[in-house]
Amino acid sequence: MDGPNVANWAWGGYLAPIDVSGSEVPVKDQLASTVGTYKDQLYSFGFYDVSLAFFARKSVLNEHGVRIPTMDKPWTKDEFDAALAKLKKSGKFAYPLEMGTGGSGEWWPYAYSPQLQSFGGDLIDRNGYKTASGSLDGKEAVEWGNWFRSLVTKGYMAKKSGADPNKDFLAGKSAIQWDGSWNAAKNADKLGDDLAIIPPVDFGDGPKIGGASWQWAMSSTCSNKDGAQEWLKFSRQTKYFVDYAKATSTIPATDAAARQIADYQPGGKFEVLVQFAREYAAVRPVTPAYPYISTEFQKAAQDILAGADPEDALGQAAKNIDNNLKTNNNYAG
């Protein structure tokens, strides 16, 4: 199951808690984003995570006098906006920035709510998870919405990207792409040492990316829970964390596994993606309301790109989420 939905499925009674104590790999050794809990009980774990990053050609950034940022000194909002303005002015790109706006579903909160959070807003007030008002429609959130819309009005980004944004980036149609680590190997194969893997922008409240990917859980109707838990416990061996990451081109969920994969071990060409996942990952709100929150955020963000007033769109989303919370008694129980 997808990590952000664990709380909803556990609350709904679809999942049973799991006990993997005594397994080779302790849960505490995993990236926090690869473990699913609800009400202090373990319900799921994943063997890997993915990371968002900006991809660019070093040669293109150097040609246009754009600094290649590092984790020690990521781009600021002003610096990022100035870089996009330079790239747009060059006339070489119809849209210098590619952020996958043709995507759908969970991509929207996964890709764009970390930017909202970096502005200082959030999808919900995480102190109790009882209201979205003030977090999703507060001053900082509206600032994010205005900035997000400006990417379209200034011609920096397409309102709806093409069917394969990564293919367009590799073809040189865009200069900077906001994408996932799942395309890192393809990009490196094509661009070699010219590939720059760039951390997220610090919009004021620190760089942030989405966290959590696909995880294993146990259904509440499982006919042999003891057997299922023994299999889960057995699977928690470092060699299997390694196998999963290799097979899926993803970030291994433990440092021990990362050290056994050339690209992700210290000094490896994708080690920085492991660091992004460790330092920047913000899990989506751990609340049974999350699937509803996800849908509301996607609608608001799409409306903003289509020209809706950010304050109105985010305000309506916050009201809808609060009504959903009240209807479900704040998902108590």
Side-chain angles (χ1 to χ4, degrees):
M1 60 180 304
D2 200 3
N5 293 327
V6 170
N8 179 271
W9 288 23
W11 167 80
Y14 303 114
L15 303 180
I18 57 176
D19 179 6
V20 293
S21 56
S23 55
E24 178 186 306
V25 178
V27 172
K28 66 178 177 60
D29 287 358
Q30 292 192 223
L31 291 169
S33 58
T34 63
V35 177
T37 61
Y38 179 61
K39 291 190 177 296
D40 299 322
Q41 288 188 294
L42 178 68
Y43 279 91
S44 67
F45 67 86
F47 291 90
Y48 57 82
D49 203 352
V50 289
S51 168
L52 286 163
F54 284 111
F55 295 109
R57 290 169 171 81
K58 295 174 185 176
S59 57
V60 168
L61 299 183
N62 289 332
E63 178 187 348
H64 296 93
V66 175
R67 179 181 71 86
I68 300 174
T70 62
M71 289 186 72
D72 289 336
K73 192 178 178 183
W75 279 325
T76 63
K77 174 183 177 297
D78 289 346
E79 193 177 10
F80 186 49
D81 288 347
L84 294 175
K86 280 183 181 179
L87 292 164
K88 180 68 177 179
K89 189 177 180 181
S90 73
K92 294 186 176 181
F93 309 96
Y95 299 106
L97 178 64
E98 172 59 76
M99 290 219 295
T101 50
S104 61
E106 192 55 26
W107 169 250
W108 282 74
Y110 177 71
Y112 312 130
S113 69
Q115 296 171 340
L116 162 76
Q117 291 164 330
S118 185
F119 267 84
D122 207 343
L123 295 168
I124 192 172
D125 182 347
R126 300 198 187 213
N127 182 19
Y129 298 98
K130 292 181 179 178
T131 180
S133 295
S135 297
L136 184 54
D137 60 354
K139 175 176 173 286
E140 293 85 0
V142 173
E143 286 177 359
W144 164 79
N146 286 323
W147 171 81
F148 194 52
R149 172 62 183 160
S150 77
L151 297 176
V152 171
T153 57
K154 292 179 178 178
Y156 297 161
M157 176 181 79
K159 183 164 62 176
K160 184 176 181 180
S161 63
D164 191 338
N166 187 243
K167 185 177 180 180
D168 290 343
F169 165 69
L170 290 176
K173 293 182 179 180
S174 53
I176 301 171
Q177 185 191 15
W178 182 235
D179 197 13
S181 54
W182 52 84
N183 275 324
K186 186 188 297 184
N187 291 347
D189 288 345
K190 174 83 172 181
L191 303 179
D193 291 340
D194 197 27
L195 176 66
I197 302 176
I198 296 170
V201 175
D202 182 353
F203 291 104
D205 203 31
K208 298 186 189 301
I209 60 173
S213 189
W214 295 92
Q215 302 177 3
W216 287 96
M218 181 172 67
S219 70
S220 57
T221 57
C222 177
S223 60
N224 189 340
K225 290 185 173 63
D226 289 341
Q229 293 201 123
E230 280 304 310
W231 182 85
L232 290 170
K233 191 180 294 187
F234 169 82
S235 74
R236 296 182 55 77
Q237 299 179 51
T238 295
K239 64 182 179 180
Y240 296 130
F241 281 81
V242 170
D243 287 349
Y244 265 101
K246 284 182 175 178
T248 56
S249 296
T250 50
I251 298 166
T254 69
D255 287 344
R259 287 194 292 270
Q260 294 186 32
I261 302 175
D263 286 346
Y264 294 107
Q265 65 188 210
K269 61 183 176 182
F270 300 138
E271 179 199 5
V272 69
L273 293 170
V274 179
Q275 295 174 1
F276 289 180
R278 186 185 300 121
E279 300 296 328
Y280 300 146
V283 296
R284 280 149 283 182
V286 185
T287 166
Y290 181 71
Y292 187 85
I293 292 170
S294 171
T295 300
E296 285 297 317
F297 177 78
Q298 178 185 348
K299 182 179 184 304
Q302 288 177 327
D303 286 349
I304 287 168
L305 288 191
D309 178 79
E311 190 170 1
D312 292 342
L314 294 170
Q316 187 61 56
K319 287 177 186 174
N320 291 346
I321 291 167
D322 284 359
N323 286 335
N324 177 265
L325 291 164
K326 289 172 186 172
T327 300
N328 289 282
N329 192 27
N330 286 320
Y331 292 88

